[in-house]
Amino acid sequence: MRIARFDTAHDDVGPRLGLVSDNSIIDLAAHAPDLPQDLREVLARGSVARERLEVIADRGGPGLPLAQVRLLAPLAPRKCLAVGLNYRDHAEEMGSAFPKHPIVFTKQVTAVQAPFGPVHLPRVSDQLDYEGELVCVIGRRCRHVPRERAAEVIAGYCVGNDFSVRDWQRRTGQFTMGKSFDTHAPFGPWLVTADEIEDPHGLKLATYVNGELRQTSSTDKLIFDSYDLVTHLSQAFTLEPGDLIFTGTPAGVGAASDPPRYLRAGDEVRVEIEGLGAIENRIVPEPSATAFID
Ligand code: MG
């Protein structure tokens, strides 16, 4: 199944979930009003909610044209974890040795953005960069998950872009600030459930800036794959439904060019992953409305 969160300009129902097939979307607010219209809660309900969705998906039926809805971030995560230097080709372009342990950092959950939403060029930096990534979405509460059972706790996968502010990322030994600017964690365009993906570690990934191919790789080049990451992370803390893991980016980031090619206002950045779809974000100057005290 492909589970999206969306709203429309022509009704006032507000954000709700939908099942995507071909070019239409079945509105779950209409077809499953008993289910929470929040994907994190749906995942937390486990197999009962999942089977209900499968019945609706199998039945099919009239949907809204996909072109008439606005896709939103599929869910609001409680954790947004990310991994640095996790592709062999990216480690090589950076002249770095392969890490012995996953380099884990967090993106603040306030950085989450819609799959086609605008991304801010920060007021305080001109070193905005892209990182096309496979995003793994946790489906079950878990701790100390052995690798052979890791697939059981993964609800599915999304396409993500781990936007990075390089000068802020490198200023100190900690990545958090440079990885967490508001709008810098777009993902989507929907959750593709894990059963639809034969092998999550054999998917082609491509990133384009204004139509120019900048990153092309495959998730088979991950140093620590999704299952390794679930095992590693869950040794330290509980993973919960809706937690995101941005699994790392392959070669071809702007910072690795000589001279570096950072993003500018007006640029369009598109990330595609085979079997998952694509997200596309326009870079805009950080609006004045970002300064506020409520
Ligand atoms: Mg990254």
Side-chain angles (χ1 to χ4, degrees):
M1 288 183 291
R2 291 187 282 166
I3 310 172
R5 184 164 161 267
F6 72 101
D7 65 10
T8 78
H10 55 267
D11 66 43
D12 49 16
V13 178
R16 68 269 205 187
L17 300 180
L19 294 176
V20 176
S21 69
D22 299 322
N23 291 316
S24 71
I25 184 164
I26 297 173
D27 184 347
L28 290 176
H31 287 81
D34 54 308
L35 284 179
Q37 296 302 313
D38 175 327
L39 181 52
R40 190 160 51 80
E41 285 182 38
V42 168
L43 295 177
R45 288 195 184 190
S47 59
V48 174
R50 187 192 166 84
E51 284 158 18
R52 180 116 167 70
L53 292 180
E54 280 167 353
V55 168
I56 296 167
D58 289 345
R59 196 170 59 209
L64 302 167
L66 202 49
Q68 286 179 20
V69 310
R70 183 174 62 149
L71 292 170
L72 306 170
L75 55 78
R78 288 172 55 173
K79 287 191 213 68
C80 185
L81 299 152
V83 185
L85 223 59
N86 197 25
Y87 273 78
R88 292 192 288 274
D89 52 0
H90 181 49
E92 282 161 1
E93 80 174 339
M94 302 304 278
S96 303
F98 295 174
K100 288 198 179 74
H101 304 282
I103 300 170
V104 177
F105 59 93
T106 60
K107 292 174 82 72
Q108 301 304 295
V109 294
T110 37
V112 163
Q113 176 61 310
F116 298 94
V119 163
H120 296 170
L121 182 66
R123 289 183 209 181
V124 294
S125 172
D126 55 7
Q127 295 192 13
L128 178 63
D129 205 354
Y130 51 84
E131 295 192 349
E133 305 200 1
L134 174 71
V135 176
C136 171
V137 182
I138 299 298
R140 293 168 69 181
R141 202 163 175 274
C142 58
R143 180 89 203 275
H144 288 299
V145 181
R147 186 186 149 86
E148 64 272 20
R149 295 195 61 189
E152 294 174 40
V153 308
I154 296 175
Y157 298 90
C158 298
V159 181
N161 195 328
D162 173 21
F163 280 98
S164 304
V165 181
R166 297 299 184 198
D167 47 348
W168 282 62
Q169 178 187 344
R170 292 167 171 160
R171 249 180 206 178
T172 69
Q174 303 289 332
F175 286 2
T176 302
M177 289 295 290
K179 294 287 195 172
S180 292
F181 280 64
D182 285 0
T183 73
H184 286 191
F187 73 105
W190 36 65
L191 173 77
V192 179
T193 53
D195 58 296
E196 304 245 331
I197 304 294
E198 196 177 327
D199 178 9
H201 306 116
L203 305 176
K204 291 194 185 75
L205 179 155
T207 305
Y208 299 85
V209 178
N210 303 324
E212 180 192 335
L213 182 63
R214 296 283 188 90
Q215 295 186 287
T216 177
S217 192
S218 164
T219 56
D220 67 4
K221 292 194 171 62
L222 280 164
I223 296 170
F224 301 103
D225 69 18
S226 306
Y227 306 146
D228 295 328
L229 295 173
V230 162
T231 297
H232 179 74
L233 293 164
S234 72
Q235 286 180 327
F237 46 78
T238 301
L239 294 172
E240 298 174 291
D243 286 353
L244 303 182
I245 307 171
F246 279 69
T247 57
T249 203
V253 299
S257 284
D258 185 18
R261 300 172 80 185
Y262 294 119
L263 295 166
R264 298 190 180 134
D267 286 347
E268 302 269 0
V269 187
R270 180 180 178 85
V271 183
E272 298 176 353
I273 299 181
E274 184 183 7
L276 302 182
I279 66 171
E280 188 165 329
N281 304 94
R282 185 179 179 81
I283 309 304
V284 300
E286 184 180 333
S288 58
T290 58
F292 63 89
I293 301 173
D294 282 345

